[in-house]
Amino acid sequence: MPSNRTRLIAGNWKMNNDVPAAKELASALVEKVSADNGVEVVVCPPTIDLACTSHKIEGSAIKLGAQNVYWEASGAYTGETSCAMLKSVDAAYCIIGHSERRDYFHETDADENKKARALIAAGITPIFCCGESLETREAGEHVAFVTAQIRAGLDGVEIDSADQLVIAYEPIWAIGTGKTATAADAQEVCGAIRATLAEIYGEELAGGIRVLYGGSAKPENIAGFLAEEDVDGALVGGASLKADDFAAMVEKAGE
Ligand code: PEP
């Protein structure tokens, strides 16, 4: 990676691990994940596990991320979690715009925009997910689709420094399917994302924003993605549930 962007490996546990299992996985990660190999490491447990995971990783190099947030500050929003609540457990990151949220819970670009604004105002870095369906890719419209998601989701979203925003490119057809994009596929879209970020934020800020790849990333294939110029890390689903695999990916990202 010919840039000075710090690589970032983030684990998305999705709806896995009850409180005892989260504590066990967090403890195993603290033991196994390299503390100082120059890679930033984030785990994103389910909301119910945020507090216990925060406690377990305290004092380690691992940072905490959430999987979702609501943009209002407080009030009658049953089932939702505010930015201040995430701050209270020391969450530094929050995934937004994941394709599962967009597909199963009908979240729109406008929703992701409000979440991004609220998180940045609260000092939490959004991990803004984008990605195309197989149908869109086969129609050759993947770059246009993803860059439109970026423009809409980040419309009017202001940042002063590159570390206030992370993008994760996750082709939907590669998530949880075992099918990975090729490294060249990932670079094509991640490069287009960075060019779009440059139009929005200017070359300098865009040059510092981390763009991750996600979709069946594992220890065996991560190095190929990371060798690409505009891929600065990975958002990892399935493989983040196994401490050995996740630690191995962090290790490879540090090489
Ligand atoms: C994800 O859902 O963010 C993801 C990348 O999942 P997986 O690694 O299991 O494909």
Side-chain angles (χ1 to χ4, degrees):
M1 183 177 62
S3 82
N4 55 9
R5 295 184 290 272
T6 300
R7 284 180 172 166
L8 172 59
I9 304 294
N12 175 9
W13 294 1
K14 307 195 185 188
M15 197 174 73
N16 294 293
N17 293 325
D18 58 14
V19 167
K23 286 182 182 171
E24 199 178 315
L25 179 54
S27 297
L29 290 171
V30 168
E31 194 185 307
K32 293 173 190 235
V33 166
S34 309
D36 55 3
N37 70 344
V39 178
E40 193 174 355
V41 183
V42 177
V43 291
C44 304
T47 307
I48 190 89
D49 297 330
L50 283 168
C52 72
T53 304
S54 182
H55 183 63
K56 287 284 176 192
I57 63 177
E58 199 176 340
S60 80
I62 302 172
K63 295 180 185 167
L64 188 68
Q67 295 179 18
N68 194 16
V69 70
Y70 194 59
W71 53 81
E72 294 290 350
S74 63
Y77 303 102
T78 302
E80 295 297 329
T81 309
S82 70
C83 292
M85 290 168 181
L86 298 184
K87 285 290 270 191
S88 75
V89 291
D90 293 330
Y93 288 88
C94 180
I95 297 169
I96 58 172
H98 194 282
S99 59
E100 289 152 14
R101 300 290 323 167
R102 294 178 190 260
D103 287 355
Y104 305 152
F105 304 99
H106 314 295
E107 290 188 9
T108 63
D109 287 332
D111 294 333
E112 309 319 336
N113 187 278
K114 284 186 255 187
K115 291 182 184 199
R117 287 169 190 252
L119 287 167
I120 290 169
I124 299 172
T125 301
I127 301 177
F128 181 98
C129 300
C130 53
E132 81 286 357
S133 65
L134 189 55
E135 200 184 3
T136 301
R137 175 160 281 265
E138 285 176 346
E141 288 163 6
H142 49 289
V143 171
F145 181 86
V146 170
T147 53
Q149 278 184 322
I150 295 284
R151 284 182 208 286
L154 298 178
D155 185 35
V157 172
E158 290 179 17
I159 55 169
D160 309 312
S161 72
D163 59 6
Q164 288 177 288
L165 180 63
V166 171
I167 308 291
Y169 167 55
E170 300 205 306
I172 298 169
W173 46 273
I175 297 179
T177 59
K179 280 188 204 162
T180 41
T182 64
D185 290 336
Q187 170 57 30
E188 179 195 23
V189 182
C190 292
I193 290 170
R194 195 175 308 285
T196 305
L197 293 172
E199 286 171 30
I200 302 171
Y201 296 115
E203 294 279 344
E204 199 180 325
L205 270 184
I209 295 173
R210 271 86 57 86
V211 181
L212 315 181
Y213 167 77
S216 301
K218 45 185 183 262
E220 298 76 45
N221 61 24
I222 191 166
F225 293 109
L226 294 177
E228 296 294 335
E229 188 180 342
D230 288 297
V231 180
D232 306 314
L235 181 55
V236 184
S240 75
L241 298 172
K242 296 181 201 130
D244 286 329
D245 284 359
F246 193 67
M249 295 173 87
V250 173
E251 201 68 48
K252 289 205 188 277
E255 286 171 0

